[in-house]
Amino acid sequence: VSSSIGHVFARCLEDAPNYSKLRKEFYSSFLKREGCDVSDEAAKFGFRIMRAVFCEKDTNIEPILRLVEQLAAEVPDTQVAADLWDAVVDFLLDVINVKEALHRFRACMFLARILNKFDSRRSLESRKLKKIRDSLLGQLRDKSLKVRGVAVQALAKLYERTHEVSILKGLLELLDRESAKAVRVAVVVALPPDENTMEKLQELTLDAPHEVRTAVYKKLSAVPVSSFSVAMLSRLLQRGLRDREGAVSKEAGRMVGLWLSRDCDGDAEKLLGHLGVEEATQAAELVLE
């Protein structure tokens, strides 16, 4: 099944507009296989996946994912369902390397949604996840900022599943060379706020685009105040609450409010205790303001 579907997809890369031919070939290659009896939605799937990847007017891929899931659920042979997913992923990994940026963008977006849909009960094989990882890491150097941005989103989903150091390393290295504001924001959103990223996130509170600084404070608000050192808290508060950009100072203020209500039971003295009032007087004064 995998090779048959892959053949159909490969043909469509060369002749994408010929949707009626695609549907016919998809039907003959999948539905007719050894008495495999599934809904006609299977044939529609071949048509719609091509539209999602190749047709600019169709950007809603959620119905397509539902069709794939219906197919996988209706096929009586679980291996056939797995082969179908393999074929879809292999096809998308091929599209990632085509010339047209729109197609690369759609392929990365589709992979991100697939990774979001799968859970521990419906896992892609580790070898497939590695192929996805390597392809997406390569797209972090794509010449299109939109492709780089959606690749970041897909890698974030993959990191949630695998916690692979290579993914985190790739995202951090991207920040060192990336100039596009939208992509830098996407990386901040993707990074887990932990011991491996905290230093970089702190550096980004001085990033030139205020959108990046705002995203950093929004990210750090999820971290318990007790996780920060006195020195780091002092820097974060002085930079954020004194930021000339209103959106940044507002988000920093929201962060302090969350720390106060969530981590300190609304007790300002507890919050000041984390600051170390004597060592961070200026930061403490800002909080009290």
Side-chain angles (χ1 to χ4, degrees):
V1 174
S2 181
S3 60
S4 298
I5 297 174
H7 173 70
V8 174
F9 286 163
R11 288 282 299 277
C12 292
L13 282 172
E14 302 175 358
D15 192 19
N18 198 342
Y19 299 127
S20 60
K21 187 176 181 181
L22 161 65
R23 181 164 180 162
K24 181 179 179 181
E25 289 197 25
F26 188 86
Y27 186 89
S28 64
S29 67
F30 186 79
L31 295 187
K32 295 296 185 179
R33 174 189 177 270
E34 299 178 4
C36 182
D37 183 20
V38 296
S39 165
D40 186 55
E41 292 298 300
K44 295 178 183 178
F45 161 72
F47 171 81
R48 299 195 68 174
I49 192 172
M50 288 300 103
R51 279 185 58 81
V53 176
F54 290 104
C55 195
E56 187 172 358
K57 295 180 181 179
D58 188 357
T59 59
N60 185 8
I61 63 176
E62 186 65 28
I64 304 167
L65 284 177
R66 285 200 297 269
L67 283 175
V68 180
E69 290 181 325
Q70 288 171 11
L71 260 180
E74 293 173 5
V75 173
D77 183 347
T78 55
Q79 184 56 51
V80 174
D83 287 344
L84 174 61
W85 280 113
D86 276 353
V88 172
V89 171
D90 285 340
F91 165 70
L92 293 170
L93 293 176
D94 286 340
V95 175
I96 276 181
N97 297 313
V98 300
K99 180 178 180 181
E100 296 80 0
L102 175 62
H103 301 171
R104 301 195 305 274
F105 172 82
R106 294 272 171 79
C108 289
M109 181 170 63
F110 206 123
L111 285 170
R113 298 300 294 274
I114 287 177
L115 290 167
N116 191 46
K117 284 285 184 181
F118 272 87
D119 56 30
S120 59
R121 294 167 298 174
R122 298 179 298 165
S123 297
L124 291 166
E125 292 185 13
S126 59
R127 62 179 178 81
K128 191 67 66 176
L129 290 174
K130 289 179 180 178
K131 289 179 67 175
I132 294 174
R133 176 202 63 196
D134 293 343
S135 294
L136 291 173
L137 285 173
Q139 296 313 112
L140 295 183
R141 292 186 177 276
D142 196 282
K143 60 184 178 181
S144 166
L145 70 89
K146 289 185 177 180
V147 174
R148 297 196 302 275
V150 75
V152 167
Q153 295 172 23
L155 283 167
K157 296 296 181 183
L158 188 55
Y159 184 77
E160 290 175 6
R161 295 168 56 89
T162 64
H163 299 287
E164 289 194 35
V165 176
S166 60
I167 297 175
L168 194 58
K169 181 181 177 182
L171 293 174
L172 291 172
E173 289 177 349
L174 177 60
L175 282 173
D176 293 334
R177 64 176 184 271
E178 181 60 63
S179 60
K181 174 178 61 181
V183 180
R184 294 182 71 78
V185 170
V187 176
V188 170
V189 172
L191 289 176
D194 57 26
E195 66 276 6
N196 298 310
T197 63
M198 201 62 73
E199 183 177 347
K200 174 60 71 174
L201 288 171
Q202 182 182 223
E203 291 176 10
L204 292 173
T205 58
L206 297 175
D207 212 58
H210 73 269
E211 292 88 349
V212 175
R213 303 197 303 276
T214 302
V216 170
Y217 281 102
K218 186 173 183 178
K219 171 70 65 173
L220 293 177
S221 67
V223 181
V225 65
S226 58
S227 299
F228 299 95
S229 67
V230 171
M232 183 175 289
L233 276 176
S234 178
R235 284 192 291 272
L236 290 175
L237 292 173
Q238 291 190 59
R239 292 174 183 177
L241 296 175
R242 288 178 170 174
D243 197 291
R244 291 177 294 180
E245 183 63 43
V248 180
S249 58
K250 182 178 179 179
E251 193 60 50
R254 177 179 170 276
M255 176 184 69
V256 173
L258 281 172
W259 286 344
L260 179 63
S261 61
R262 183 191 64 209
D263 304 332
C264 302
D265 302 318
D267 188 336
E269 288 188 5
K270 286 186 179 180
L271 180 59
L272 292 176
H274 287 292
L275 280 169
V277 181
E278 294 182 2
E279 295 84 355
T281 304
Q282 292 181 329
E285 290 175 351
L286 285 170
V287 170
L288 291 174
E289 290 176 5

